[in-house]
Amino acid sequence: MEQKKILIITYYWPPAGGPGVQRWLKFAKYLPDFGWKPVIYTPENPNYPLLDESLMKDIPGNIEIVRTKIWEPYQLAEKLNKSNKKFKAGQFDVGKNQSWKSRLSIWVRGNFFIPDARVFWVKPSIRFLEKYLKENKIDVVVTSGPPHSLHLIGLGLKNKLPGLKWIADFRDPWTEISYYKHLKLTKGSDKKHRQLESTVFKNADITLATSYTDAENFRKAGANAVCITNGFDESDAGEKAGRKDEAVSLKSHPEAFTLSYIGVLEQLRNPENLWKVLDEMVKENEEFAAQFKLKFAGRIDDKILSSIENSGLRDHILNLGYLSHGKAIEEMQNSDMLLITNFPNESSKGIIPGKIFEYLVSGKQILSFGPDQADVAKILEETNAGKHFSYNDTESVKKFILEKFELWKNGDLSEKTQHIEQFSRKNLTKQLSNIL
């Protein structure tokens, strides 16, 4: 039987690094197993915030990749203020860390580039893809955002080709994302963002969400929304991915009790209460101080790192910098506990950071921070993989860490994770194929 074709419109594609690239890279990897042939449409000259050549190995050998040029204003923004390079990854300075240049840059970003600075790719892509779709048989088109400007490509194609089957995949929310309220929007700009979002929701045949709460919120806003979470790839996770209800010994480094954060950490997700707790613990507990290590593997905001280095934790930090995806997974395995953080406000309770699924398959205990009743808390409880705290918790956080430290000292830091196979990339692709 001839495979059906799915056109995936995505800004992030290898050699792009970070979490944004992996969702549709992994779907593209496994879709042929379920009767679908992926075609990728992506920029020819993107300005990626992170690069990871190791992800190239996951690109199917015979996949068709269509590229066109894009113009992005980030070089101009970086000339105005060097810290604007964070914009490419959806980050910026907040609060007391904002200079007047930062405030001006954020105002320009929010009000002149709607929905984002990749908007200049929209009209050329609609023109190019309208012709491409008329000349090639494509059964379904997918747009993946952020950047949410890619959904405007899908919207434009849908307007020109009403019979087109279009799926809008929201890896993160649009107007409900935590940093949206920090964009210094005028009333007119806010209205335009919300009108565009609503139009996408109402015109896409299906809107995909990566969390249960986001899917519910999208449905309330008029979308035909379905949740397919992110997940872990068995081939990345190795033999551990197939384990079910298996006790895992976590005492991998007897000389140091290691708490690790793997990935990008920006100011809006900075767990200041955790640094305070750890600072107290190394000052109060000599045994803990002698054996504790705080490891970072990824890109940590320089102001966060500077603050930690100026505390009692400075001699306990191991900062490895950005690592390839494969190396990052190795560092998860070489840890005793893993840290994950989310935005603190209630509107972000539906965000499920993609790294949690690779954390799960590592078998390590997870220390999570974010809003109450978060989807992450639901996953941790269901899989018995750790505990979720609010940004106001201190004593309960200290108690949890000390409990795990005592188990580690005795060589008994073991847990039974369960029900994680539902989050394998292949099983998630099967869910997607059923929707298709």
Side-chain angles (χ1 to χ4, degrees):
M1 182 184 294
E2 184 180 357
Q3 288 185 317
K4 292 185 176 182
K5 282 189 175 182
I6 178 171
L7 177 67
I8 300 165
I9 302 174
T10 177
Y11 179 82
Y12 294 103
W13 191 254
V21 65
Q22 293 182 43
R23 180 169 173 85
W24 284 96
L25 174 62
K26 300 298 186 179
F27 280 144
K29 178 180 177 179
Y30 289 111
L31 274 168
D33 294 346
F34 300 97
W36 287 88
K37 183 177 181 180
V39 178
I40 307 301
Y41 177 71
T42 195
E44 181 180 321
N45 55 324
N47 196 342
Y48 292 140
L50 297 170
L51 296 175
D52 187 347
E53 297 285 348
S54 73
L55 294 177
M56 301 288 286
K57 66 178 173 50
D58 280 325
I59 301 176
N62 60 345
I63 195 169
E64 180 182 351
I65 302 178
V66 181
R67 303 179 191 270
T68 63
K69 288 187 180 297
I70 185 174
W71 181 80
E72 305 176 63
Y74 286 113
Q75 288 182 333
L76 297 176
E78 288 174 31
K79 285 182 180 179
L80 176 63
N81 186 2
K82 289 183 179 179
S83 68
N84 287 348
K85 62 186 178 182
K86 300 176 186 178
F87 284 2
K88 290 183 287 188
Q91 303 165 26
F92 40 80
D93 291 335
V94 297
K96 63 181 182 297
N97 294 319
Q98 277 188 4
S99 65
W100 71 267
K101 287 185 178 180
S102 292
R103 290 193 294 271
L104 175 61
S105 300
I106 292 165
W107 184 85
V108 170
R109 180 252 187 261
N111 293 284
F112 279 77
F113 306 123
I114 298 176
D116 50 65
R118 276 86 181 210
V119 70
F120 300 100
W121 198 45
V122 173
K123 288 183 179 179
S125 293
I126 292 171
R127 287 194 297 269
F128 176 86
L129 289 174
E130 181 185 9
K131 183 173 184 289
Y132 181 89
L133 290 170
K134 288 177 178 177
E135 295 174 351
N136 297 270
K137 186 181 185 304
I138 296 292
D139 297 279
V140 178
V141 169
V142 172
T143 55
S144 182
H148 295 307
S149 53
L150 271 64
H151 298 313
L152 302 187
I153 299 174
L155 181 62
L157 293 172
K158 185 76 168 178
N159 288 336
K160 290 180 176 294
L161 305 168
L164 180 72
K165 298 299 182 186
W166 169 36
I167 294 178
D169 177 58
F170 281 74
R171 300 190 318 277
D172 287 319
W174 185 332
T175 61
E176 294 302 318
I177 192 76
S178 247
Y179 62 72
Y180 182 80
K181 68 178 184 292
H182 293 281
L183 292 178
K184 305 183 186 301
L185 299 175
T186 65
K187 287 184 179 180
S189 296
D190 176 57
K191 183 178 180 181
K192 187 173 181 181
H193 274 282
R194 295 184 186 278
Q195 285 177 337
L196 288 172
E197 178 186 49
S198 177
T199 305
V200 168
F201 282 157
K202 291 173 182 175
N203 283 273
D205 294 276
I206 293 173
T207 297
L208 286 184
T210 57
S211 75
Y212 320 115
T213 297
D214 283 352
E216 182 181 348
N217 290 338
F218 295 167
R219 284 191 288 269
K220 289 177 182 176
N224 178 24
V226 179
C227 173
I228 298 183
T229 68
N230 288 308
F232 64 86
D233 192 345
E234 296 95 327
S235 63
D236 292 337
E239 61 182 17
K240 292 174 182 284
R243 294 181 309 197
K244 181 179 179 183
D245 299 333
E246 180 182 341
V248 185
S249 174
L250 304 186
K251 191 179 178 185
S252 56
H253 283 294
E255 73 280 5
F257 176 68
T258 305
L259 170 64
S260 298
Y261 183 92
I262 314 290
V264 177
L265 182 60
E266 72 268 42
Q267 293 171 31
L268 289 172
R269 296 187 296 110
N270 180 22
E272 294 181 2
N273 60 327
L274 173 62
W275 313 138
K276 177 184 175 183
V277 164
L278 293 173
D279 184 46
E280 291 176 356
M281 290 174 68
V282 297
K283 290 175 180 176
E284 297 169 355
N285 189 324
E286 289 185 7
E287 192 175 22
F288 182 81
Q291 300 179 85
F292 175 66
K293 186 69 69 178
L294 177 61
K295 179 169 68 179
F296 293 109
R299 195 167 68 183
I300 311 304
D301 185 275
D302 53 356
K303 291 182 173 63
I304 296 176
L305 196 58
S306 175
S307 174
I308 299 172
E309 288 174 341
N310 288 324
S311 73
L313 296 173
R314 60 184 172 274
D315 295 328
H316 301 268
I317 298 171
L318 176 62
N319 184 16
L320 301 177
Y322 184 77
L323 302 177
S324 70
H325 185 230
K327 290 290 186 183
I329 289 175
E330 286 183 22
E331 292 304 328
M332 293 178 198
Q333 302 291 346
N334 294 331
S335 304
D336 300 295
M337 291 181 66
L338 297 168
L339 170 63
I340 194 166
T341 67
N342 197 353
F343 303 106
N345 51 302
E346 185 181 356
S347 63
S348 298
K349 68 179 184 178
I351 295 177
I352 305 175
K355 72 167 71 67
I356 191 175
F357 303 104
E358 287 167 340
Y359 277 14
L360 285 176
V361 79
S362 75
K364 311 297 182 173
Q365 278 288 282
I366 299 169
L367 174 61
S368 169
F369 288 91
D372 292 334
Q373 298 180 321
D375 286 7
V376 167
K378 177 181 177 181
I379 290 175
L380 292 179
E381 184 175 347
E382 182 180 339
T383 58
N384 194 36
K387 197 163 184 179
H388 180 78
F389 299 92
S390 78
Y391 282 93
N392 296 321
D393 283 326
T394 53
E395 290 305 315
S396 53
V397 172
K398 183 183 291 187
K399 180 181 177 184
F400 179 75
I401 296 172
L402 282 175
E403 285 175 354
K404 302 306 175 185
F405 177 61
E406 290 299 321
L407 290 171
W408 174 84
K409 281 196 309 180
N410 297 324
D412 194 29
L413 184 53
S414 61
E415 299 290 341
K416 280 190 175 183
T417 54
Q418 58 188 11
H419 309 312
I420 67 168
E421 66 281 353
Q422 62 183 303
F423 299 116
S424 76
R425 292 287 187 182
K426 191 161 188 176
N427 282 337
L428 294 168
T429 307
K430 183 178 181 180
Q431 289 182 39
L432 175 63
S433 71
N434 292 335
I435 292 170
L436 295 173

